Amino acid sequence: MDPSSLSEDALATPAPRRQAMVPEATVARLPIYLRALHVLADDGQTTVSSEALAEVAGVNSAKLRKDLSHLGSYGTRGVGYDVAHLIEQVSAELGLLRHCSVVLVGVGNLGRALAGYGGFASRGLAIDALLDADRNRVGEQIAGLTVRHIDELCDVVSKGSIGVIATPAQAAQQVCDRLVAAGVTSILNFAPTVLSVPPGVDLRKVDLSLELQILSFHEHRKAALAQGAPV
Amino acid sequence: MDPSSLSEDALATPAPRRQAMVPEATVARLPIYLRALHVLADDGQTTVSSEALAEVAGVNSAKLRKDLSHLGSYGTRGVGYDVAHLIEQVSAELGLLRHCSVVLVGVGNLGRALAGYGGFASRGLAIDALLDADRNRVGEQIAGLTVRHIDELCDVVSKGSIGVIATPAQAAQQVCDRLVAAGVTSILNFAPTVLSVPPGVDLRKVDLSLELQILSFHEHRKAALAQGAPV
DNA sequence: CTGACTTTGTGCGCGCGTTCACAAGCGCGT
DNA sequence: ACGCGCTTGTGAACGCGCGCACAAAGTCAG
Ligand SMILES: NC(=O)c1ccc[n+]([C@@H]2O[C@H](COP(=O)([O-])OP(=O)(O)OC[C@H]3O[C@@H](n4cnc5c(N)ncnc54)[C@H](O)[C@@H]3O)[C@@H](O)[C@H]2O)c1
Ligand SMILES: NC(=O)c1ccc[n+]([C@@H]2O[C@H](COP(=O)([O-])OP(=O)(O)OC[C@H]3O[C@@H](n4cnc5c(N)ncnc54)[C@H](O)[C@@H]3O)[C@@H](O)[C@H]2O)c1
């Protein structure tokens, strides 16, 4: 499992009243299932078995079934799952039905790429604000949005907004603090720094160097094995 | 743990001869430790305790010590770890000492951002080839590199190269296959698709939509709790 | 040299996630 | 109407990783 992010507040309710608690590992796979389902739907399939869906999603079929059972989505024994209904179910669980607004801070190399990316909007997520500290960049038009100054943060944050940090590492903690102060409780960080957030705020990170270094490790290990253990 | 990637070949050696096998979860943290160590080194610190390093890295100190013990790196009891020596150790373990070449396929929005990013080169990783299928883009100069055509893949791949896929999802599997055919055994995929690779090839993925959707889930859940459970 | 303090390295229990394997359930052909 | 085969949902076992807590080991003062 990817332990990079954790939600410390998930256990806040001592009594799991009626809403089933979905394991974090399952949540991390729901988007994958959703994408697989869209592929199948575009392909014209109306029902799908756990085996077939698991194949497309690249996971074990038993895992898939257990995951889906967590969100109470019932398939039909002997038949499988209704694709359209399951898309609805998973989308609802992920909160994608009511459009989730995304606020992007830092319109540099990476921020520009993110802003111009159409893959988010197609699935209920839309970047609807670009912020930067550089006065020269403020006012610039990118992908139909106008870059605004970071000081206007409070004006663009609405309830339930997700913050994305694409600033240099040096400024990341400061930007993070401002996002939290503005009421943002979900943050995605691209800067290669460890950020600290108060309880109740979800923080995830994407670290490209880290991924490459992990691959480098395995590559290095393979080379060592190939040279030292071919026997 | 981040279960998104797994190395199926790690168990290839039935007898763990002398090289300790490092748990995947530990490998995933080594880059974080390395970055923390560089911060401390730049700050002038020569030695550091597990407690202090864990603080900077944002992890439990016991976990840090256990991780470091896996790679045989010995600290000094009562003192701590020698920063410079530990940087050397971790870098060696990650295979960063011999410069690892990175081949980037797909020079679009995202590929351009990656190519222009200086954060890789600073730590032993350098993108040294840009490839694209679009003839209009071939020949273009980006960050000191010339974009070459994908057909020249075999010419730019050297032993131990890491492949990065930044093409549309539609082309990802094809590009992946060509990378594997060219001898690449470590691949980082940015396209939102499940790729299949033969055994012995390490595949990791970075999925930005997925991260946002996970945050969306938690945000959605928070909203539901705030509305339904304030008693 | 001794004793007290500091810090590493690790044994152990706990909880989560994954997987197998199977019973329960549903549709369909006869 | 009725079983036959297919698929779901889940009980249970296994393995991994995390974190506490402590003994071993080294440093430093006197
Ligand atoms: N470019 C990549 O491909 C890449 C890859 C991996 C990681 N990253 C990380 O992503 C982050 C951004 O990378 P980049 O290449 O876009 O950097 P960049 O320098 O091109 O852009 C950074 C942007 O952030 C803005 N900024 C700086 N301080 C700010 C503040 N306090 N508030 C608001 N905006 C501020 C700057 O004006 C600039 O526009 C960096 O942390 C980098 O390490 C980038
Ligand atoms: N831009 C982003 O911020 C972002 C965010 C998340 C995910 N992604 C994913 O990253 C990938 C790239 O995104 P992008 O915005 O850069 O897309 P893009 O369309 O801007 O660039 C894609 C590039 O790949 C090249 N290409 C296409 N087919 C190819 C092939 N067979 N061989 C070699 N090159 C080929 C194209 O010529 C183009 O230059 C996509 O899969 C996208 O879903 C991008």
Side-chain angles (χ1 to χ4, degrees), chain B residues 33-46:
Chain B
Y33 301 153
L34 188 56
R35 200 155 50 214
L37 285 167
H38 275 117
V39 170
L40 293 173
D42 292 349
D43 202 50
Q45 310 234 11
T46 60

Side-chain angles (χ1 to χ4, degrees), chain A residues 105-111 132-134 137 150 166-169 171 174-175 190-192 208, chain B residues 113-114 117 120:
Chain A
V105 183
V107 191
N109 266 328
L110 184 59
D132 204 297
D134 189 343
R137 288 196 165 130
I150 180 81
T167 67
Q174 179 207 337
V175 169
F190 284 92
L208 312 184
Chain B
L114 293 173
Y117 182 50
F120 301 138

Side-chain angles (χ1 to χ4, degrees), chain A residues 1-3 186 204 211 219, chain B residues 1-3 186 204 211 219:
Chain A
M1 172 180 80
D2 186 350
S186 294
R204 296 188 67 86
E211 299 296 331
E219 199 62 43
Chain B
M1 170 180 83
D2 186 350
S186 293
R204 295 188 67 85
E211 300 295 332
E219 199 62 43

Side-chain angles (χ1 to χ4, degrees), chain A residues 67-82:
Chain A
D67 284 342
L68 293 184
S69 74
H70 279 300
L71 45 86
S73 161
Y74 291 153
T76 310
R77 300 180 189 227
V79 177
Y81 299 90
D82 181 77

